[in-house]
Amino acid sequence: MWARPKTLTPAHSIVRSPKTEMFRFLSFTTFLATWWIAALFAGGEKLPPPPAVLAAIVEAANSGALFLNLGVTLARVALAFTLAMTLGTAIGYLMGRIRLADRVGDPWLILLLNLPALVVIVLAYIWAGLTEVAAIAAIAINKLPTAVVTVREGTRALDTTLDEMARVFAMPRWRAFRHVILPQLAPYIAAAARSGLSLVWKIVLVAELLGRPNGVGFEIGVAFQLFDIPRLLAYALSFVAVVLIIETVLVQPFEARVSRWRPRAA
Amino acid sequence: MQLEVEIARKAFTNAAGERHDVLVDLKFVLGAGEVGVFVGPSGCGKSTMLKIIAGLDQDYQGRVVRPADARIGMVFQEPRLLPWRSVEENVRLAAPRADDVALSALFTVLELNAHRSHFPGELSLGLARRVALARAFAVEPGFLILDEPLTSLDDALAMRLRDQIATLVDSQSVTTLLVTHDVDDAIRLGDRVFLLSSRPARILAELPIRTPRKARGEAEIAAIKAEIARRTNGDSANGDAL
């Protein structure tokens, strides 16, 4: 069996200097200040000041609705994202490797790439009913083509000389895939995940608004109908906060890990 | 465990659609444990020949019988290491069955012990070539293919590496095919030297060297060199070379 040697250089961690932290904090406070000043000019009706939105967040949090809706939305994002990434990576790899698959798949890819998200969502709801399956499938279908395109590019860029090396040394298929192919695809998969995640964040709310009885998108739809702007912003900002946390805690460390062997930019 | 090669013809089609012969009527047999060295001008098709013999290129007329069930160890012209794996992982991935003692010995001979956990991007070309050699030897090959493993290294390092290759080839006794354009390397490493013509490559002459590698004196090496020079000059006089 192939045993992983224990003497590995540690992965480059994503340590930030205090200076960067300070700039981030500064940029955040500037945003808050601008918001507050704009609220003073526009009037609390159209743009409630930060404390009013904070109060709405606290209220929604206390009732438990905030966490329930955020949780439901996150679950949909996770399912649709996983589905689209898995399928997209597999299809992209096949299309990059096999010419026939590329020929057959390409027109469909162009169709899906240019099909408006709204059309997919509405059709999914019409054909599959206002169900969870329809919502998740619609979100996944929207994300799928970009993942396919990115991974296909990555597969086309695979280094054939390393393939030859793996063949000469008779590496078993799985080991070659894991250690020769996958590390080359990793930056492309990471890029697809990154752009795909932001796409899913955007589309999931539309799908919820149109045909789900809960989730952040549904709540924003209700707030829109009631013209309840503090509630609208409360959900929007909480959602953005969750996205930011996931990006920093999950996505960025993953990217740092897969590219740890590259000499880093200064 | 012998290698039989009969390549009747190998041609490439270039971008303009013209076919060019690269190899024509290339025929030789290499006995078990023998080191065959091919010397020829650059661009004569040596690497193409090695690719066919290694089984990487099936598109040719002829036949190649590799040593039966032999593991192949190969050093390509470029190191071809996995940049995302450490030196030790690179070797172990190609040779999962190599035990720690044998690997340690190999790393010591090739002076790689200090670099086990480095990534290939952190190595000089000379070091990377040594890692490629370590990988090829770690599989304990029955058949070893070396494609110009010493090019673009400085003389002192090339000489040391050549001695290391000689040590390893003698200690493991493998059927070895070495391609080089350096006559000195050929004479010091080979049991038999094949001289190749320029493209399309064919074998001009075959020179067996009977003295064991370690016992070859400078005078003998010089004599063989003169013989090779005489034969290759004859080739260029015929207008074939370059």
Side-chain angles (χ1 to χ4, degrees):
Chain A
M1 272 309 290
W2 142 254
R4 180 169 271 276
K6 279 150 196 80
T7 50
L8 269 175
T9 46
H12 294 311
S13 52
I14 45 160
V15 184
R16 294 199 189 85
S17 67
K19 207 172 164 189
T20 339
E21 288 298 329
M22 204 189 71
F23 276 119
R24 285 181 166 229
F25 182 72
L26 209 65
S27 124
F28 181 67
T29 44
T30 313
F31 164 71
L32 271 188
T34 317
W35 174 7
W36 211 318
I37 293 165
L40 286 179
F41 279 104
E45 276 293 301
K46 274 191 180 163
L47 181 59
V53 174
L54 187 67
I57 293 179
V58 171
E59 194 196 319
N62 280 338
S63 72
L66 180 69
F67 301 112
L68 177 78
N69 286 311
L70 278 176
V72 167
T73 301
L74 273 182
R76 286 187 188 123
V77 167
L79 274 172
F81 176 77
T82 313
L83 191 68
M85 280 305 294
T86 317
L87 272 178
T89 305
I91 296 172
Y93 183 71
L94 280 181
M95 286 177 73
R97 278 263 149 151
I98 302 163
R99 185 179 278 255
L100 181 68
D102 192 41
R103 290 269 165 82
V104 172
D106 203 52
W108 294 99
L109 201 57
I110 292 168
L111 174 82
L112 280 180
L113 270 173
N114 295 295
L115 200 61
L118 194 59
V119 175
V120 177
I121 296 168
V122 169
L123 284 180
Y125 279 143
I126 288 173
W127 288 332
L130 294 175
T131 60
E132 206 62 62
V133 174
I136 287 165
I139 301 164
I141 288 171
N142 271 301
K143 194 239 160 310
L144 184 74
T146 56
V148 172
V149 169
T150 313
V151 175
R152 180 177 65 178
E153 279 318 304
T155 309
R156 283 178 181 161
L158 285 176
D159 188 344
T160 50
T161 66
L162 292 179
D163 258 4
E164 287 183 352
M165 185 278 292
R167 269 168 64 199
V168 162
F169 285 99
M171 276 193 202
R173 212 171 254 250
W174 167 242
R175 197 192 308 154
F177 184 75
R178 197 179 138 204
H179 297 282
V180 182
I181 307 280
L182 214 49
Q184 295 182 70
L185 290 183
Y188 292 89
I189 295 175
R194 157 56 61 83
S195 69
L197 198 56
S198 52
L199 193 66
V200 171
W201 290 132
K202 287 173 190 170
I203 293 168
V204 69
L205 296 197
V206 180
E208 287 176 344
L209 176 82
L210 285 174
R212 293 281 74 215
N214 48 28
V216 175
F218 169 77
E219 286 295 331
I220 287 176
V222 171
F224 173 54
Q225 279 161 22
L226 301 175
F227 225 68
D228 186 349
I229 299 173
R231 183 171 167 190
L232 199 156
L233 285 179
Y235 271 100
L237 289 181
S238 311
F239 183 67
V240 168
V242 169
V243 172
L244 274 178
I245 289 169
I246 289 179
E247 286 276 331
T248 25
V249 175
L250 290 178
V251 179
Q252 287 178 9
F254 172 72
E255 283 180 338
R257 208 194 121 65
V258 296
S259 59
R260 73 190 192 284
W261 55 275
R262 284 176 204 276
R264 275 180 306 169
Chain B
M1 293 289 268
Q2 69 170 13
L3 170 76
E4 292 174 45
V5 176
E6 275 183 55
I7 299 169
R9 188 186 152 111
K10 165 73 190 173
F12 277 122
T13 309
N14 66 8
E18 298 155 352
R19 277 175 77 79
H20 288 277
D21 287 340
V22 184
L23 305 170
V24 173
D25 281 332
L26 205 80
K27 212 166 148 182
F28 66 89
V29 176
L30 207 58
E34 235 182 342
V35 180
V37 183
F38 282 79
V39 189
S42 61
C44 77
K46 290 172 296 202
S47 290
T48 308
M49 176 188 80
L50 287 191
K51 256 174 104 164
I52 291 172
I53 294 173
L56 290 172
D57 187 348
Q58 313 284 351
D59 179 27
Y60 67 98
Q61 292 164 31
R63 111 200 140 93
V64 171
V65 182
R66 278 182 288 278
D69 299 325
R71 281 196 293 274
I72 300 180
M74 184 159 179
V75 176
F76 298 89
Q77 224 171 82
E78 335 78 58
R80 295 200 190 180
L81 304 173
L82 302 174
W84 41 83
R85 293 286 181 264
S86 70
V87 164
E88 179 160 352
E89 287 177 305
N90 261 286
V91 173
R92 281 187 189 267
L93 274 171
R97 272 169 299 206
D99 63 284
D100 289 351
V101 181
L103 268 193
S104 281
L106 197 57
F107 279 128
T108 308
V109 172
L110 291 168
E111 295 165 37
L112 284 170
N113 271 320
H115 305 285
R116 279 183 177 224
S117 58
H118 288 172
F119 285 101
E122 302 168 310
L123 304 177
S124 66
L125 181 60
L127 275 169
R129 283 199 189 287
R130 277 189 260 165
V131 178
L133 274 172
R135 178 174 64 187
F137 280 104
V139 303
E140 297 186 353
F143 178 32
L144 183 66
I145 304 174
L146 306 170
D147 190 358
E148 310 224 20
L150 304 177
T151 30
S152 72
L153 299 177
D154 65 74
D155 288 347
L157 181 60
M159 209 165 81
R160 281 222 325 275
L161 267 184
R162 189 171 57 206
D163 291 344
Q164 285 162 347
I165 293 174
T167 310
L168 289 167
V169 165
D170 281 332
S171 67
Q172 296 189 0
S173 165
V174 289
T175 311
T176 303
L177 204 58
L178 170 77
V179 152
T180 177
H181 60 257
D182 186 314
V183 177
D184 233 49
D185 289 345
I187 301 168
R188 285 173 201 273
L189 285 173
D191 293 315
R192 265 195 296 155
V193 178
F194 299 88
L195 302 179
L196 289 177
S197 71
S198 54
R199 196 177 266 218
R202 55 198 166 74
I203 295 174
L204 289 176
E206 189 185 324
L207 304 168
I209 306 177
R210 306 210 192 283
T211 329
R213 260 177 286 284
K214 280 182 198 133
R216 282 169 207 170
E218 293 302 321
E220 183 176 10
I221 288 169
I224 299 169
K225 225 170 173 174
E227 168 76 8
I228 290 174
R230 190 177 63 77
R231 301 224 188 184
T232 44
N233 283 341
D235 178 45
S236 56
N238 292 335
D240 277 347
L242 298 170

